[in-house]
Structure formats: C-alpha cells, structure tokens
Amino acid sequence: MTVGLVIVSHSAKLAEGVAELAGQMAPDVAVRAAGGANGGLGTDFEAVTAAIEAAQSGAGVVVLFDLGSAQMVADMAAESVDGDVRVVDAPLVEGAVAAAVAAQGGGDVSAVAAAAEGGSPEPVAAEDTTTIEVVLTNEIGLHARPAATLARELTGVDATVTVRFGAASADARSVLGLLGLGARGGDTVSVSASGPAAQEALDRVRALAERNFDE
Amino acid sequence: MGCTASDVVAAIKAVADVVAEHKVELTQLDRAIGDADHGENLNRGFTAVLAALDGATPETPSAVLKTVATTLISKVGGAAGPLYGTAFLRAATATAKSDELDAAAVVAALTAALEGVVARGKAEPGDKTMVDALEPAVRASSAAADDGGDVAAVLRAAADAAASGAEATIPLVARKGRASYLGERSAGHLDPGARSSSLLLRALADVAAR
Ligand SMILES: [Mg+2]
C-alpha cells in the first residue's frame, strides 16, 4: 500500500504525460491524471475528485497541479473527500517524479509531499562521514532518470547521503536536489555518507554509477 | 419583510439571466487578459443551477444558496467555479439559521462570501480580481444596514460599490490569476471576475427593488 499521486493540469495531455513519466519511476504507485474540462482546456472538480478517490489506497494521496485555478480545484476536491490528501505547490514534472520515487520507496504521505516540494527529509549530519569520488560515465549525468534511480537505490538504507558537485550539494534521496546540481556525463561528484549503513550506501552508489545508472 | 427561499430562487434566476446576457462580454474581457472562458464557464454553471432549481425549491434561503454552490463547483471549470462556489457555500453557512433573510442576514451572507473568496483565492484588494468588486460592496452594504436600510437598500449599496470597484480594476496590474502572467500588460483592462461580481450583485439588487 503506497501513497497515491494525482496530477491536475488544465491540459489532459499534460496531465497524462506527467503521470506517465512519474509512473515509469514507480511501478507500484497509483498515479492518476486529471486534466482538462468539458473536452478542452480547464480543470474539472468532479474529475479531480474521482482521480483522488482512485489513487487513495488508505495511505494518503499527494496532488500536484500546474497553474492557478488548478490549485483551487485541487484544494476543494481534497476537502471534499475522506482520507489524507495533500495538495502540494511543487514544480509539476520534477515534483511528480520526486514524489513518485518517494512513494515507491514506501514514504508516508508527509515524506512524499516533502519530496515533491524538493525538501530533504532529514538534516545532513557532518560527523563520521565517509566520502568517495564517483565519475559519471553515463552520457547524461545526474539527469532525471539517473537521479530518480539513485534516489530509489538508497531506499531503506539507514544512512544520510550527500552528493556534492562543485560548490553545490544535495541530499542523494532528493531527485530535485540532484537535478539542481547540474552534473553531466564525464563530471566527477563526491558522495558522502554517515549513519549506521554509510558503507552500504556508498557501495550501492558506486555500483550504480559503474552500471551507468542502469541506463 | 425578509427574503424567503422562493425570493432567493427568483434572485438566482435573475442572476442566471444576466450571466447569459453578458456571456460574450465576460469572455471578451477574459480574452484580453486571461484564457477567454469566463462568460462560457459562468453561463454553463448558472444554466446547470437553473436545472438544479427547476425540480424542487429548497426549503430555506440557505439551502438554495447551497444548491447554487455545489452546482457551480461541479460544473464550472477555471477559477470561477471554486471562487463563486466557495462564495455561495459560505453565504449558505452564514444564513443557515434563517427562514427569511433580513438586511443584517444579507450583509452577513455577503461578508461570509467575501471571506470565502479571499480564503480560496488568496487575493487582496488591488490584485485586480473579483475581490476588488466584492470588498467595497461588503463595506457599503454594511454601512447601508447600519443606516437602517432594508434588503433592497443594502443590495443597491453593494451593487453600486461593486460597479465602482470593478471599474477601478482597469488601471491595475494583475497580481493574481492568469492575468498576472501578463504583468504590466494587464493594465488598461477591466478584470472579468470583478465585472461578473458586479453584474451578479446588480442582478440581486434589481430583484430586491421590485
Ligand atoms: Mg478564465
């Protein structure tokens, strides 16, 4: 039972496309699209309500929206149904991918909402940290799919993992944070881990990079 | 003398007529600074409201307002559905205990409607939205009631203030809604939401004056 996702857009095609992209990262997550109204552009309260109900397994639903009135419709729909439903103000595409990965990893509704918003679930600890250098040998570097794969790879590993590239750093479980680093193929990033499973985390990251992020 | 449920139904039917008459105008205003659907959306909503009220008249003014609210929410896309839906829903809640609406109840309904719109849309006066029509309307209606005005006087004051408030949106730069993406280019246009709010209140005032 995972947290469900609903993508609300003025455009049916956009909602379906984002749901498709997010769903690719999260085979076990119910990702529903609610786009368009009356056969054209718009947002439809009844369609959004139905999508939320379809995505609700009992674990909660996180709703992402594109523009303005989509938020109002999403808010009203969320208020009209039972269960824990969070409407998050997040970048639609990256937020949906990040939320899907977090839901696939078993995150609760708060963690999935935070992932969509680009938040890191726990603070980065400084002490007892081990650091390795990792060369990105895949062509696109830490782009959306590899970033999501990396975040998923660390699911359930009890360690705080930070990726640094130049002056920037990101939580390795934050897809948005990883994308923000802008690390491309051929770049070298440093990966630091602390916590009980720090070594396992680093081993997994190194192995994943060596497999070209399973691309 | 207060407004009964059937008076409120008559008022809502007048609103629906006015929305239908001004459908093209509202959509043209929305074409200039938005997504060209405001008139169509509101007209679809109030057509559905008429159908919902056609079967049976709800027993209280509050129940009529609630029917309007739920119909608008489910039938009107865009911002107008959630905003007007919330406005009518809050008005219904504010009048839940009244079998007839007197001037004070009308002011309470308008006040609650404005609060609902602000809570839903997060707009403030000066953002070039329907709040710019509704906020002065609520103040004027309250003043009219304080002066001993009846329902007709209260609604006339609200409609007059809303009309001025809507006109005053013309030079404003939009800070909410689709028009806000236009920035400075949104100045020089009447806000469609403020215009429709002003039309709704005028329709209510005209019915009350009869
Ligand atoms: Mg519009």
Side-chain angles (χ1 to χ4, degrees):
Chain A
M1 204 169 70
T2 61
V3 172
L5 295 185
V6 172
I7 312 300
V8 180
S9 170
H10 284 67
S11 155
K13 286 180 186 169
L14 181 56
E16 281 160 20
V18 173
E20 180 188 21
L21 187 60
Q24 182 192 30
M25 312 290 189
D28 303 321
V29 177
V31 185
R32 301 285 169 158
N38 306 299
L41 296 174
T43 45
D44 179 338
F45 172 81
E46 287 177 344
V48 175
T49 306
I52 291 172
E53 284 171 341
Q56 179 66 270
S57 66
V61 176
V62 171
V63 183
L64 293 98
F65 58 87
D66 61 357
L67 296 172
S69 66
Q71 179 173 20
M72 286 188 248
V73 171
D75 282 340
M76 296 202 89
E79 290 163 19
S80 76
V81 298
D82 293 330
D84 197 345
V85 181
R86 311 280 178 91
V87 179
V88 295
D89 191 352
L92 185 61
V93 178
E94 291 135 323
V97 170
V101 171
Q104 177 72 28
D108 66 13
V109 69
S110 298
V112 173
E117 287 164 340
S120 116
E122 50 211 79
V124 178
E127 70 276 17
D128 296 329
T129 303
T130 313
T131 301
I132 60 170
E133 303 280 297
V134 175
V135 181
L136 304 175
T137 51
N138 65 324
E139 200 173 324
I140 56 175
L142 279 180
H143 215 281
R145 216 168 34 238
T149 309
L150 173 56
R152 263 174 75 180
E153 189 70 19
L154 294 170
T155 299
V157 179
D158 189 5
T160 301
V161 185
T162 306
V163 180
R164 285 192 179 73
F165 179 58
S169 68
D171 186 307
R173 289 185 179 83
S174 165
V175 176
L176 289 186
L178 292 173
L179 289 173
L181 295 176
R184 295 165 187 278
D187 288 337
T188 300
V189 297
S190 59
V191 183
S192 308
S194 61
Q199 194 55 52
E200 185 194 345
L202 294 177
D203 290 346
R204 285 190 182 211
V205 174
R206 195 196 320 264
L208 185 65
E210 283 168 1
R211 299 200 309 269
N212 280 333
F213 295 88
D214 298 332
E215 290 286 283
Chain B
M1 193 195 76
C3 307
T4 63
S6 56
D7 293 335
V8 177
V9 169
I12 296 300
K13 286 181 174 168
V15 166
D17 289 345
V18 166
V19 166
E21 277 167 37
H22 291 266
K23 179 179 84 169
V24 173
E25 177 203 337
L26 290 172
T27 289
Q28 277 171 351
L29 291 173
D30 196 23
R31 179 168 293 120
I33 56 170
D35 52 358
D37 63 1
H38 192 53
E40 307 291 337
N41 277 343
L42 268 191
N43 189 51
R44 183 184 319 106
F46 277 97
T47 302
V49 166
L50 289 184
L53 291 173
D54 202 28
T57 298
E59 285 189 4
T60 62
S62 172
V64 178
L65 296 171
K66 190 165 183 201
T67 299
V68 175
T70 53
T71 308
L72 292 180
I73 289 165
S74 58
K75 298 293 179 207
V76 184
L83 289 171
Y84 279 116
T86 302
F88 279 97
L89 203 55
R90 294 287 183 98
T93 305
T95 55
K97 292 189 176 68
S98 318
D99 288 329
E100 292 193 11
L101 305 184
D102 58 11
V106 170
V107 172
L110 292 174
T111 305
L114 170 63
E115 286 168 0
V117 168
V118 169
R120 180 67 62 202
K122 316 269 188 315
E124 293 172 7
D127 284 351
K128 197 178 182 98
T129 71
M130 54 198 281
V131 171
D132 292 315
L134 292 175
E135 195 267 340
V138 168
R139 271 190 284 126
S141 70
S142 177
D146 289 347
D147 290 346
D150 59 6
V151 169
V154 161
L155 286 173
R156 186 170 59 246
D160 289 348
S164 309
E167 286 295 312
T169 64
I170 293 173
L172 297 178
V173 172
R175 290 195 294 250
K176 282 282 170 188
R178 195 67 69 90
S180 64
Y181 293 96
L182 294 175
E184 298 288 334
R185 279 178 290 149
S186 63
H189 299 278
L190 176 59
D191 178 65
R195 174 63 175 154
S196 63
S197 291
S198 154
L199 287 170
L200 260 66
L201 287 169
R202 180 64 67 198
L204 296 177
D206 287 349
V207 170
R210 292 207 293 258

